[in-house]
Amino acid sequence: MTLLTVHQDNHPTPATTATTTATGTATGPHPAAQTDPTMPRLTTTVPREYVHRSTLAEVFLTGCEQTGDTHYTLTAQWPRAHTFFTTPDGTHHHPLQAAETIRQTGLYLAHAELGIPLGHHFLMRNLHLTTHPQHLTIGPTPTDLTLTATYTPHHPHTKRPTDFTMHITITRNGHPTATGTGRFTCLTPTTYQRLRHPHTTTAASTTTDTTTSTSSTATHHQPPNPPPTHYGRTLPHDIVLTPTPHPHTWQLTPNPHHPILFDHTTDHIPGMVLLEAAHQAATAHTHPTPTTHPNHPTTLHATFHHYTEHHTPTYITTHTTRSNNSDPAPTTHITAHQNNTTVFTAQLTTHTPTDTT
């Protein structure tokens, strides 16, 4: 069986101090107040366990309503000054925040609406994302979003849709902000244990130490890293790449203690780390001169071919193509490989956003 990839899997145990409705709305000690029509509807995040996040601050979804057999309307909110999903100049939400929101939507609907139990693991086989930078500007208040989601089961006659494609549109004040499609596959704990053995038996501390030692050992004779702005970031600890002596080739060296990319321990490199690596590599390839105003990725087509392991060096290579010689938006092709095996591929097109909302 060929594995295609997996996103966050070792999510925390659900809390027992509160209950939730099927749509993820928290019910506190006075549930009657929630149903009183004279009271305003209260806003909260969906349970963090349903989106496989450890930190409440990283949960972007705030509610859900089923609008058809396979159709849902959700609400979400992006903070004004996220510590990671913000462009270097501080003016826009980072396009990969839309990718994370789509990831959370697929997981949430699987657990809360489609009957997939907590404790199951998810493969995300691919992700296709289009963003509209003019609607990603950061305003004076947090950005409230409306999402419409439709799922298509690939085996419609099974008891639970364990293999499905999710089509999601994110809008802001009625304007399309991002659209995305991702295919998710759910695995029982027993199946996951069998597929991932012996990686699932590796202690968390050992995994972290191995990641650190592999990165440091493999980069002794490599060129020094340029400033973070070379990769479209502002902080050194956000950089997930280290240059190699070969042109357009980097080693994947994420900080295993990064509070966003490694929100909790996993037995593999999370998919969002690979998407971030694709973004940073594309920025470094197309903008070799450091700048705080890099082009924003507007289209992303990513395929996760295999699990990306912690203990083996991963190398990222890039090349660009243009639809014609006058095309101002090149497409960067990104490949990640371990042990001469391709584990991840992506195509990313960039665009210079306007300053309008």
Side-chain angles (χ1 to χ4, degrees):
M1 175 182 181
T2 301
L3 296 179
L4 297 179
T5 194
V6 62
H7 274 217
Q8 316 284 353
D9 53 15
N10 296 332
H11 48 277
T13 302
T16 58
T17 56
T19 59
T20 57
T21 67
T23 58
T25 302
T27 58
H30 304 289
Q34 298 286 331
T35 58
D36 187 343
T38 64
M39 297 289 290
R41 184 173 181 177
L42 304 181
T43 300
T44 185
T45 65
V46 303
R48 60 189 175 92
E49 293 83 6
Y50 284 180
V51 297
H52 298 194
R53 280 298 180 197
S54 294
T55 307
L56 286 172
E58 299 308 316
V59 179
F60 300 138
L61 302 181
T62 58
C64 176
E65 178 183 1
Q66 185 170 4
T67 55
D69 289 342
T70 59
H71 302 274
Y72 298 86
T73 298
L74 302 95
T75 53
Q77 186 180 87
W78 291 344
R80 286 178 292 172
H82 194 275
T83 58
F84 185 70
F85 290 119
T86 303
T87 56
D89 58 10
T91 62
H92 288 71
H93 298 288
H94 197 283
L96 287 186
Q97 191 162 18
E100 169 61 17
T101 303
I102 289 171
R103 186 196 73 86
Q104 291 189 16
T105 301
L107 299 181
Y108 172 78
L109 290 177
H111 286 310
E113 302 290 347
L114 305 183
I116 303 301
L118 290 170
H120 279 48
H121 303 263
F122 287 78
L123 304 174
M124 193 173 190
R125 298 174 177 267
N126 53 55
L127 174 68
H128 306 287
L129 175 69
T130 299
T131 63
H132 304 276
Q134 69 272 27
H135 299 307
L136 291 174
T137 53
I138 296 174
T141 61
T143 300
D144 290 315
L145 304 165
T146 300
L147 289 72
T148 57
T150 302
Y151 82 90
T152 302
H154 291 278
H155 306 286
H157 301 298
T158 58
K159 182 178 180 180
R160 293 191 182 104
T162 56
D163 186 11
F164 58 89
T165 294
M166 194 71 65
H167 306 271
I168 297 167
T169 299
I170 303 174
T171 60
R172 175 185 185 183
N173 298 326
H175 299 290
T177 301
T179 56
T181 300
R183 183 173 178 178
F184 297 80
T185 299
C186 310
L187 302 175
T188 66
T190 300
T191 300
Y192 186 80
Q193 178 75 20
R194 184 177 69 252
L195 292 174
R196 291 295 292 151
H197 183 79
H199 302 288
T200 54
T201 60
T202 302
S205 59
T206 303
T207 299
T208 300
D209 293 342
T210 301
T211 304
T212 305
S213 62
T214 298
S215 300
S216 60
T217 301
T219 57
H220 279 320
H221 305 292
Q222 294 180 351
N225 233 345
T229 50
H230 183 75
Y231 299 104
R233 289 294 183 180
T234 56
L235 300 176
H237 79 273
D238 289 337
I239 304 306
V240 301
L241 301 177
T242 297
T244 72
H246 306 286
H248 307 308
T249 303
W250 298 264
Q251 185 181 355
L252 183 66
T253 55
N255 175 8
H257 303 290
H258 194 283
I260 311 301
L261 294 176
F262 291 90
D263 176 68
H264 51 270
T265 302
T266 62
D267 60 30
H268 61 279
I269 299 294
M272 286 302 296
V273 174
L274 296 172
L275 294 180
E276 177 62 24
H279 160 251
Q280 292 186 17
T283 302
H285 186 118
T286 57
H287 299 277
T289 302
T291 174
T292 58
H293 300 278
N295 286 354
H296 294 192
T298 53
T299 61
L300 170 67
H301 302 285
T303 302
F304 305 91
H305 300 281
H306 295 278
Y307 295 102
T308 305
E309 309 296 352
H310 286 290
H311 63 275
T312 304
T314 303
Y315 294 98
I316 308 290
T317 59
T318 60
H319 72 277
T320 58
T321 60
R322 295 177 184 269
S323 58
N324 55 67
N325 292 334
S326 61
D327 185 4
T331 296
T332 304
H333 303 262
I334 301 101
T335 302
H337 51 91
Q338 285 186 330
N339 294 328
N340 298 317
T341 298
T342 299
V343 294
F344 169 77
T345 54
Q347 298 81 46
L348 193 151
T349 302
T350 59
H351 174 73
T352 303
T354 62
D355 293 329
T356 61
T357 57

